[in-house]
Amino acid sequence: VLCRYENEASVPKPKAYIQWVADSPQHGSPVRIDELRVYNPLFKHANPDEKSVTGGFMNDVSETSLEIIHGAVADIGLWDSIKRYAATDAGKKELNEQNVETLRFQFMRIGYFALDKDSSMPLSAIESDQIASTKLVMNRIVTLKEDAKKDA
């Protein structure tokens, strides 16, 4: 990575920002997400029942409507949020009943995600800070709106 420090008043606005997740095992970072499910539009056309869709709506299903990403990482703040939730009475009740879908997060520049019921987060593992004893499965529930002025 090449970079240049510019500390003048007339610095141009950057085209992009670099973000990273620290690799610091002694601090529990990064948090490894076992499966990240990114749901995209199910159909290729806005109205799959239109006459222009040959063969009916089943032929209009997009092959990329579900992307599954293994090995995604997140900042330790994700685990901290889970621990804070688990420390509340409501959180303990939900986690004991395996109702994890109520936990939702915004992943910067990607969208909003919720834990899936396929996640495994025993309350004992959370309370004893055993990240490796959990299985995190996240579903994208809302995409972030793209800038209308941004070139594709």
Side-chain angles (χ1 to χ4, degrees):
V1 175
L2 297 175
C3 61
R4 180 178 67 227
Y5 178 68
E6 296 178 349
N7 193 21
E8 298 176 15
S10 63
V11 175
K13 182 179 177 187
K15 294 182 181 180
Y17 295 92
I18 298 173
Q19 297 170 331
W20 66 88
V21 175
D23 184 12
S24 180
Q26 67 269 28
H27 297 103
S29 182
V31 174
R32 304 213 182 274
I33 299 172
D34 298 283
E35 195 170 292
L36 191 70
R37 299 173 183 165
V38 179
Y39 293 94
N40 296 309
L42 180 59
F43 297 107
K44 297 174 189 172
H45 296 87
N47 185 357
D49 281 338
E50 287 181 352
K51 304 276 188 250
S52 62
V53 178
T54 309
F57 74 93
M58 289 302 290
N59 288 337
D60 199 46
V61 174
S62 173
E63 300 82 21
T64 61
S65 63
L66 172 61
E67 295 175 59
I68 298 177
I69 301 165
H70 296 279
V73 294
D75 185 76
I76 190 66
L78 176 71
W79 183 249
D80 293 339
S81 294
I82 292 170
K83 286 188 340 187
R84 278 194 306 274
Y85 179 71
T88 66
D89 290 337
K92 287 177 185 170
K93 180 180 182 295
E94 293 292 322
L95 290 168
N96 281 328
E97 295 173 3
Q98 296 297 312
N99 294 330
V100 296
E101 292 101 336
T102 57
L103 284 167
R104 296 170 184 200
F105 306 94
Q106 178 184 356
F107 292 171
M108 292 177 58
R109 301 175 187 246
I110 299 174
Y112 292 90
F113 287 77
L115 278 166
D116 188 85
K117 63 181 165 83
D118 293 341
S119 296
S120 171
M121 295 190 330
L123 191 55
S124 59
I126 297 170
E127 291 174 339
S128 60
D129 227 6
Q130 299 297 316
I131 299 174
S133 300
T134 64
K135 177 183 177 189
L136 299 177
V137 179
M138 307 291 287
N139 295 327
R140 183 172 69 180
I141 53 175
V142 177
T143 60
L144 294 179
K145 184 177 179 182
E146 283 287 328
D147 184 356
K149 298 177 218 161
K150 183 178 174 182
D151 292 333

